[in-house]
Amino acid sequence: MTEKKEKILQAALELFAQEGFKSTSTSKVAKRAGVSEGLIFRHFENKEGLLAAIIQEGEERAKMLFANIVLETEPMEVVRKTFEIAQMMRISKEAADFWKLQYKIKWELEQYGEHKMEPLQRALTDAFAKLGYESPHLEAQLLLISLDGLATRFYLQDDFDIDPVIKLLKSKYGI
Amino acid sequence: MTEKKEKILQAALELFAQEGFKSTSTSKVAKRAGVSEGLIFRHFENKEGLLAAIIQEGEERAKMLFANIVLETEPMEVVRKTFEIAQMMRISKEAADFWKLQYKIKWELEQYGEHKMEPLQRALTDAFAKLGYESPHLEAQLLLISLDGLATRFYLQDDFDIDPVIKLLKSKYGI
Amino acid sequence: MTEKKEKILQAALELFAQEGFKSTSTSKVAKRAGVSEGLIFRHFENKEGLLAAIIQEGEERAKMLFANIVLETEPMEVVRKTFEIAQMMRISKEAADFWKLQYKIKWELEQYGEHKMEPLQRALTDAFAKLGYESPHLEAQLLLISLDGLATRFYLQDDFDIDPVIKLLKSKYGI
Amino acid sequence: MTEKKEKILQAALELFAQEGFKSTSTSKVAKRAGVSEGLIFRHFENKEGLLAAIIQEGEERAKMLFANIVLETEPMEVVRKTFEIAQMMRISKEAADFWKLQYKIKWELEQYGEHKMEPLQRALTDAFAKLGYESPHLEAQLLLISLDGLATRFYLQDDFDIDPVIKLLKSKYGI
DNA sequence: TATGAATGAGACTTCATTCAT
DNA sequence: CATGAATGAAGTCTCATTCAT
């Protein structure tokens, strides 16, 4: 991977996350990456190829992130670590951009990337089962759904104070 | 409001909800509405004006919807009716289109329409207070956030079975 | 001539003079006239018809203006009165608008309305002949041309001080 | 400057001079230049940018033209050379187009480009002063104004015979 | 006479993509 | 690998004009 290819991916991630896929022109990407427009097409074939590359990079990162949880056997730890991930999006700008892009793309392209979350959901189902919850599968779903809602607010509501809400939600799971 | 103006609003609502604002061309809207493209601009000034008109119509509908809850004094009823609204989006295609558009626009334009939800949130805060919850404001926030997450799945995940999850969530509030 | 027709002519004169014929939309004219757009077409057939009507009105006004000169027999008086006309454009806004429009139209439509000036030119030729000038016809032409240049500056150069220049020009004709 | 960019400038100069800025569509320019319409915007940003480029090219040409006069110290020569310029517009079609465009634009955009003429006016003022004229500044103004009027006729009156008038005007300055 | 909704052609502009260098 | 000129389709919007009322 050449340096310029990296630059393009980086610029595209930022712009797609900020302004959306459709609204970001390839020329804007090229300009921000400090690269000729043509190069984008040499490397990624077309605009959708660029998006695909970004998303794929993300899938892999997500997999690594989840690996840590999936291998955990202590059920309470699984739940705790799930929250940890949710809190991660506030750390680095790049991580934030990346997750924001995931949500944005979901809405723009109308395809929910369930498969990406499946390992996590299975781990949670398992944990809730061990903890004696009545409908562990539904509980796992509900938790992830609530975290989705949380992310939505976090990204879209400027003055949203996420910490107390996370704390409250955690308390409901005894954390 | 002339018949053709109605038709435009209807067509735009459907298309914006399905394909997004940026991705829907005014020519597509005109075609679906069975109308000349120029008419859109005569009635709504520009494409954003068309969107604004749709959203404004929605605000009013939302206000009416919430009125019923806001005036309710029985706290459990407030919570119950809030869930009722959440379940409403499955009834008419038009309602679904409208709410989906709200979510889509939020992500495309990056402005969370908090003000729209404020009365509802206040009513819930009040209800949770009466019910003796410790942090009624946060509880109200969390419930609405979970419902947001629920809507996200409902709209984006094709085979999502929403009812059992709602039922589980309800049970957590003793409903 | 109904009141609304007058209003249209007035509005069109102002706008055409300010912004030019092509750049003035019929809708702008209608709006300024406080009239529906359709009415313009009922009265004047099309946009060019509106312009024609304005110009024709002007021709008649010009004829009346020149009549006074053409009938003058005293040669120096003819020259003096010619200058008088040149100074008239500063009196009423309407007269200014009208003359400005003449110049604007000339450039936009590339048709010099010589016929309008012919009687004046003949009167001047005659006057210069009587005064013993060597090439009375050319002298008449040159004077009118200089006045054209003067008008150009007057209309286009904001801070142009026309009076001293007119005075100098007059002095060259012994006035 | 690529060949196609040149072609665009050339085509635009001709068309703007013939039909005016507003009346010339970018598509017409592209067609005459034998170029895709989009290229105009890639090179000049927008239609006004195209006009600006043409005008700027002209400013430079004008500066070079005037340089010859401004550096002249012999007063009669200054006056004579000024007339020479006036006669130049009849030589090449391109020069004619260019000067015609200047006049057209003046009227369409209502901004008198005085600054362009200032060096010439100063040179003339100086010359008339040396020649003992009473109001050298006004004399310079008047001469330029008369030449403006002359140009107006030349460009707008089809059958206008400019030479004898210039000759008469020259004679008034002893040339 | 007067309105204002409606149209269709065409205006300016953007943009993903191709290609010669 | 990299550039940047060039394209053509499509996008938003304007405008003169028509027509039912």
Side-chain angles (χ1 to χ4, degrees):
Chain A
M1 172 105 62
T2 69
E3 193 200 353
K4 297 213 170 186
K5 194 172 174 186
E6 280 285 20
K7 277 272 173 81
I8 293 172
L9 282 167
Q10 181 58 31
L13 173 57
E14 285 170 29
L15 286 169
F16 289 172
Q18 276 165 39
E19 334 223 318
F21 176 67
K22 195 85 201 297
S23 294
T24 300
S25 68
T26 50
S27 112
K28 235 192 276 183
V29 173
K31 224 165 275 164
R32 176 176 301 212
V35 139
S36 77
E37 212 176 339
L39 195 56
I40 293 175
F41 295 86
R42 166 158 292 281
H43 280 312
F44 304 99
E45 178 109 30
N46 53 33
K47 201 185 168 189
E48 301 220 331
L50 174 55
L51 178 60
I54 292 175
I55 288 183
Q56 205 189 351
E57 256 213 336
E59 311 259 290
E60 273 150 42
R61 228 182 297 188
K63 240 177 251 164
M64 285 176 53
L65 216 61
F66 294 165
N68 187 21
I69 302 184
V70 171
L71 299 174
E72 179 63 58
T73 53
E74 180 61 40
M76 280 306 277
E77 268 304 283
V78 172
V79 181
R80 208 188 50 72
K81 282 181 173 172
T82 300
F83 277 104
E84 228 169 39
I85 284 182
Q87 286 177 293
M88 249 200 42
M89 53 187 168
R90 287 176 339 185
I91 300 177
S92 80
K93 185 189 177 311
E94 215 198 327
D97 273 353
F98 171 70
W99 284 108
K100 189 172 177 184
L101 177 61
Q102 299 303 113
Y103 281 99
K104 265 209 141 121
I105 289 306
K106 260 194 261 192
W107 280 104
E108 224 180 314
L109 274 55
E110 301 243 348
Q111 28 159 268
Y112 194 81
E114 323 122 66
H115 57 290
K116 214 178 311 174
M117 289 292 178
E118 238 185 71
L120 183 52
Q121 188 166 324
R122 263 204 306 275
L124 277 171
T125 301
D126 193 48
F128 283 128
K130 282 188 189 151
L131 291 170
Y133 279 70
E134 249 181 50
S135 317
H137 177 65
L138 286 175
E139 290 282 356
Q141 267 198 95
L142 181 55
L143 175 50
L144 290 178
I145 283 167
S146 299
L147 291 175
D148 263 11
L150 218 48
T152 299
R153 283 289 161 96
F154 176 69
Y155 285 124
L156 297 181
Q157 188 175 334
D158 264 356
D159 60 346
F160 180 57
D161 190 8
I162 193 174
D163 278 335
V165 186
I166 288 196
K167 210 173 142 200
L168 174 61
L169 186 56
K170 272 173 153 175
S171 77
K172 306 219 166 193
Y173 293 94
I175 300 176
Chain B
M1 173 106 60
T2 67
E3 194 199 351
K4 298 216 169 188
K5 193 173 175 185
E6 269 313 356
K7 277 268 175 81
I8 293 172
L9 281 167
Q10 181 58 33
L13 173 56
E14 285 169 29
L15 288 168
F16 289 172
Q18 274 165 41
E19 334 222 315
F21 176 67
K22 198 82 201 296
S23 294
T24 302
S25 70
T26 51
S27 111
K28 232 192 282 185
V29 173
K31 227 164 273 164
R32 175 177 299 216
V35 138
S36 75
E37 204 175 348
L39 193 56
I40 293 175
F41 296 91
R42 177 161 276 285
H43 280 311
F44 303 100
E45 183 117 34
N46 51 34
K47 203 186 166 189
E48 299 220 333
L50 174 55
L51 178 60
I54 292 175
I55 287 183
Q56 206 191 349
E57 259 212 335
E59 310 257 291
E60 273 149 42
R61 230 182 296 185
K63 240 178 251 165
M64 284 176 53
L65 216 61
F66 294 164
N68 187 21
I69 302 184
V70 171
L71 299 173
E72 178 62 58
T73 53
E74 181 60 40
M76 281 307 278
E77 269 302 284
V78 172
V79 180
R80 209 188 49 72
K81 283 181 171 172
T82 299
F83 277 103
E84 227 170 42
I85 283 183
Q87 285 177 293
M88 249 202 41
M89 53 188 166
R90 286 174 340 181
I91 300 176
S92 79
K93 184 187 178 314
E94 215 198 327
D97 273 354
F98 171 69
W99 285 107
K100 188 171 177 185
L101 178 60
Q102 300 303 111
Y103 281 99
K104 265 209 139 116
I105 287 309
K106 260 193 261 193
W107 279 103
E108 224 181 313
L109 275 54
E110 300 243 349
Q111 30 160 261
Y112 196 81
E114 322 126 66
H115 57 289
K116 216 179 308 174
M117 288 295 177
E118 237 186 73
L120 182 52
Q121 187 167 322
R122 263 204 305 273
L124 277 170
T125 301
D126 193 49
F128 283 127
K130 282 188 190 149
L131 291 170
Y133 280 71
E134 246 181 51
S135 317
H137 176 64
L138 287 174
E139 290 281 355
Q141 267 196 96
L142 181 55
L143 175 49
L144 290 178
I145 283 167
S146 299
L147 292 175
D148 264 11
L150 218 46
T152 299
R153 283 287 162 96
F154 175 69
Y155 285 124
L156 296 182
Q157 188 175 336
D158 265 356
D159 60 346
F160 179 58
D161 190 8
I162 193 173
D163 278 334
V165 187
I166 288 195
K167 211 173 142 201
L168 174 60
L169 187 55
K170 271 174 154 174
S171 76
K172 306 218 167 196
Y173 293 94
I175 301 177
Chain C
M1 171 105 62
T2 70
E3 193 200 354
K4 298 211 168 185
K5 194 171 173 187
E6 280 284 21
K7 277 269 174 81
I8 293 172
L9 282 167
Q10 180 59 31
L13 172 57
E14 284 170 30
L15 287 168
F16 289 171
Q18 274 165 40
E19 333 223 318
F21 176 67
K22 195 84 202 295
S23 293
T24 301
S25 68
T26 50
S27 113
K28 232 190 282 182
V29 173
K31 223 164 277 163
R32 175 173 303 211
V35 140
S36 76
E37 212 176 339
L39 194 57
I40 292 174
F41 294 87
R42 166 158 291 282
H43 279 313
F44 303 98
E45 179 108 32
N46 53 33
K47 201 184 166 189
E48 301 219 333
L50 173 55
L51 177 60
I54 292 174
I55 288 184
Q56 203 188 354
E57 255 213 336
E59 311 259 289
E60 273 150 41
R61 227 182 297 187
K63 239 177 252 161
M64 284 175 54
L65 215 63
F66 295 164
N68 187 22
I69 301 183
V70 171
L71 299 173
E72 177 65 56
T73 53
E74 179 61 37
M76 280 307 277
E77 268 304 284
V78 172
V79 181
R80 208 188 50 71
K81 282 181 173 174
T82 299
F83 277 102
E84 227 169 41
I85 284 182
Q87 285 177 293
M88 251 201 41
M89 52 188 167
R90 287 176 340 185
I91 301 177
S92 78
K93 182 185 179 315
E94 215 199 326
D97 273 353
F98 171 71
W99 284 107
K100 189 172 176 183
L101 178 60
Q102 300 302 111
Y103 280 98
K104 262 210 143 115
I105 289 306
K106 259 194 263 194
W107 278 104
E108 225 181 313
L109 274 55
E110 301 242 349
Q111 26 158 268
Y112 195 80
E114 323 124 64
H115 56 290
K116 214 180 308 174
M117 289 295 178
E118 239 185 71
L120 181 54
Q121 187 166 324
R122 262 204 306 276
L124 277 170
T125 302
D126 192 49
F128 283 127
K130 282 188 191 149
L131 290 170
Y133 279 70
E134 246 181 54
S135 319
H137 176 65
L138 286 175
E139 290 281 356
Q141 266 197 96
L142 180 57
L143 174 51
L144 290 178
I145 282 168
S146 298
L147 292 175
D148 263 11
L150 218 47
T152 298
R153 284 288 161 97
F154 175 70
Y155 285 125
L156 296 181
Q157 187 176 335
D158 265 356
D159 60 345
F160 179 58
D161 190 8
I162 194 175
D163 278 334
V165 187
I166 289 196
K167 209 171 143 201
L168 174 61
L169 186 55
K170 272 173 154 174
S171 78
K172 304 218 167 195
Y173 293 95
I175 301 176
Chain D
M1 173 104 62
T2 68
E3 194 200 351
K4 298 214 170 187
K5 193 171 174 187
E6 270 310 359
K7 277 268 176 79
I8 292 171
L9 281 167
Q10 182 58 33
L13 172 56
E14 285 170 29
L15 287 169
F16 289 172
Q18 274 165 40
E19 334 221 316
F21 176 67
K22 198 82 200 299
S23 294
T24 301
S25 70
T26 50
S27 111
K28 230 191 284 182
V29 173
K31 226 163 274 164
R32 175 176 300 215
V35 139
S36 75
E37 206 176 346
L39 193 57
I40 292 174
F41 297 89
R42 177 160 275 284
H43 280 312
F44 304 99
E45 182 116 36
N46 51 35
K47 202 185 167 189
E48 299 219 334
L50 174 55
L51 178 60
I54 292 175
I55 288 184
Q56 204 190 351
E57 258 213 334
E59 311 257 291
E60 273 148 42
R61 227 181 298 185
K63 238 178 251 163
M64 285 176 52
L65 215 62
F66 295 166
N68 187 21
I69 301 183
V70 171
L71 299 173
E72 178 64 58
T73 51
E74 179 62 38
M76 280 308 278
E77 269 303 284
V78 172
V79 181
R80 207 188 51 72
K81 282 180 172 175
T82 299
F83 277 103
E84 226 169 43
I85 284 183
Q87 285 176 293
M88 252 201 41
M89 53 188 166
R90 287 173 340 183
I91 300 177
S92 78
K93 184 186 178 313
E94 216 199 326
D97 273 354
F98 171 70
W99 284 107
K100 188 171 175 184
L101 178 60
Q102 299 302 110
Y103 281 98
K104 264 209 140 113
I105 288 308
K106 261 193 261 193
W107 279 103
E108 226 181 313
L109 275 56
E110 300 243 348
Q111 29 160 263
Y112 195 81
E114 324 124 66
H115 57 289
K116 214 178 310 174
M117 289 295 178
E118 236 186 74
L120 182 52
Q121 187 167 326
R122 262 203 306 274
L124 278 171
T125 301
D126 192 51
F128 283 127
K130 282 189 190 149
L131 291 170
Y133 279 69
E134 248 181 50
S135 318
H137 176 65
L138 286 175
E139 291 281 356
Q141 268 197 93
L142 180 56
L143 173 51
L144 290 178
I145 283 167
S146 299
L147 291 175
D148 263 11
L150 217 47
T152 299
R153 284 288 161 97
F154 176 69
Y155 285 125
L156 296 180
Q157 188 175 334
D158 266 356
D159 60 344
F160 179 58
D161 190 8
I162 194 174
D163 277 334
V165 186
I166 288 196
K167 209 172 143 201
L168 174 60
L169 186 55
K170 271 174 154 174
S171 77
K172 304 217 168 196
Y173 294 94
I175 300 176

